[in-house]
Amino acid sequence: MGLTLELRYPSAADLRAHLFEGSERGALLLPMSDPPGELEQYAPVTLEVLVGEDGCAMGAEVLQVLPGNGLVVRLTDVQEAEAMVDSAPMAEPALPPEVRISLPELDLSAAPEPEPEPEPELEPGPEPGPEPGPESESGSPDSGVGGGTKPRGGAKIVGSSPISWSLEQLQASWDQLTFAEKVRVARHGKRPARMLVLKGLDKTLHVHILHNPGVTPEEIAMMAAMTSLDPTVLRRIAGDVSWLRHSNVARNLICNPKLTTPQITKILNYVGRDELSRLARTGKVRQAVKQLIVKKLDRTR
């Protein structure tokens, strides 16, 4: 029997946004702090979706297990979910679902009592050896003590994580990293590592930079100006009020041709009148957006 996950969404709008993200990108990240690591690629998964008191089921298959982050899945059957959110708006940004493993209830009354296992017969142990001499006290090559050089089993080598690598080492080894390692670099790496992720070809990594605790408003402003950024990430930046309060972020979003005019209309509320006047005269803004700016300036006279 395949894995069954319970996905509890805050609203139908969040579910609709995630369905759109899954169809647009071909994959969806289900956040889990401790995902099951024994899953094979393309293993079937049943998703039990809950929105308030409403529920439905979706089919999916596992693409990758990201330890500490969750499961990357491809949605294979979304008919019931699409019908449930047909009239709902699309959340921007979307809140992720609460994910947990759904375990079947067991009927313990019908379970047979286990038979007691026979006690194993004890075999005589080896004869005690001689007491350790001075040579073992000084440390053998395998002991890890004194003159020994062999590390103990399971010891963690400092600097083995890509997050702690230098930029040069990271650039040289980037193509050999797994997707999970690249995600950890995006989520926890320092600024040079984050810039490497943004310059790469894999746009699915961009969204993980937004979860990096070290990301700065200057970096968000730079991302807001990138026409090559994942459109999902642009929408999330445009929907985050805390970032829009930084004038550079709002201005760069207005100049970005990848954003729609309805999205830009909301962003104009976070830009001062003097800045709007400058944007109306610059060549960096599309004609349709200039018209929106002029209308707003006329209304606020």
Side-chain angles (χ1 to χ4, degrees):
M1 182 180 295
L3 178 69
T4 299
L5 297 178
E6 180 182 290
L7 276 59
R8 186 175 293 275
Y9 281 88
S11 69
D14 295 297
L15 171 57
R16 183 173 183 181
H18 271 228
L19 290 175
F20 177 78
E21 180 180 343
S23 63
E24 187 180 56
R25 301 174 59 181
L28 193 64
L29 175 63
L30 303 179
M32 299 178 70
S33 58
D34 189 19
E38 67 278 4
L39 291 175
E40 296 182 356
Q41 192 176 30
Y42 306 123
V45 181
T46 300
L47 305 178
E48 296 179 348
V49 179
L50 298 174
V51 181
E53 296 182 355
D54 298 328
C56 67
M58 294 194 298
E61 60 182 9
V62 175
L63 294 183
Q64 193 162 11
V65 179
L66 304 179
N69 292 302
L71 292 178
V72 180
V73 301
R74 179 189 293 121
L75 301 179
T76 57
D77 183 5
V78 296
Q79 291 183 356
E80 291 184 21
E82 287 180 341
M84 190 169 72
V85 300
D86 183 50
S87 59
M90 188 176 300
E92 292 186 9
L95 296 177
E98 179 185 342
V99 183
R100 68 177 184 178
I101 299 176
S102 180
L103 299 175
E105 295 184 359
L106 300 178
D107 186 4
L108 299 180
S109 62
E113 294 185 3
E115 297 182 0
E117 296 182 1
E119 295 185 2
E121 297 183 1
L122 297 179
E123 297 182 359
E127 294 292 330
E131 293 293 329
E135 181 179 352
S136 62
E137 292 178 0
S138 62
S140 66
D142 292 338
S143 66
V145 182
T149 58
K150 184 177 179 180
R152 297 187 180 187
K156 195 170 183 179
I157 302 174
V158 177
S160 61
S161 170
I163 298 173
S164 63
W165 290 354
S166 66
L167 179 60
E168 292 75 14
Q169 186 178 4
L170 198 58
Q171 287 174 323
S173 306
W174 185 255
D175 292 337
Q176 283 71 49
L177 297 183
T178 65
F179 183 74
E181 289 173 325
K182 292 178 181 179
V183 168
R184 284 194 288 272
V185 171
R187 283 180 170 251
H188 305 290
K190 295 182 180 180
R191 179 164 183 158
R194 296 194 292 268
M195 294 301 102
L196 180 63
V197 172
L198 287 175
K199 293 177 183 178
L201 298 177
D202 191 349
K203 294 183 180 181
T204 62
L205 296 171
H206 293 171
V207 68
H208 297 287
I209 293 180
L210 300 183
H211 300 283
N212 192 309
V215 70
T216 64
E218 291 75 18
E219 291 174 77
I220 297 297
M222 182 196 68
M223 294 170 66
M226 294 173 58
T227 58
S228 60
L229 197 71
D230 184 345
T232 303
V233 181
L234 274 178
R235 290 196 297 270
R236 292 194 179 187
I237 295 174
D240 194 308
V241 174
S242 63
W243 286 329
L244 291 179
R245 291 196 178 107
H246 296 275
S247 58
N248 290 343
V249 175
R251 182 178 63 250
N252 290 350
L253 287 172
I254 292 171
C255 296
N256 196 317
K258 295 296 184 180
L259 280 172
T260 64
T261 50
Q263 292 169 328
I264 291 178
T265 301
K266 299 177 183 179
I267 299 171
L268 295 179
N269 297 324
Y270 296 89
V271 181
R273 185 178 179 85
D274 292 342
E275 184 63 34
L276 287 177
S277 298
R278 285 191 289 270
L279 287 172
R281 297 191 299 268
T282 182
K284 298 180 180 179
V285 179
R286 289 169 287 164
Q287 188 61 34
V289 176
K290 286 186 179 182
Q291 293 174 358
L292 290 176
I293 295 174
V294 170
K295 289 180 180 179
K296 182 171 181 62
L297 290 174
D298 289 343
R299 291 196 303 266
T300 56
R301 281 182 178 176

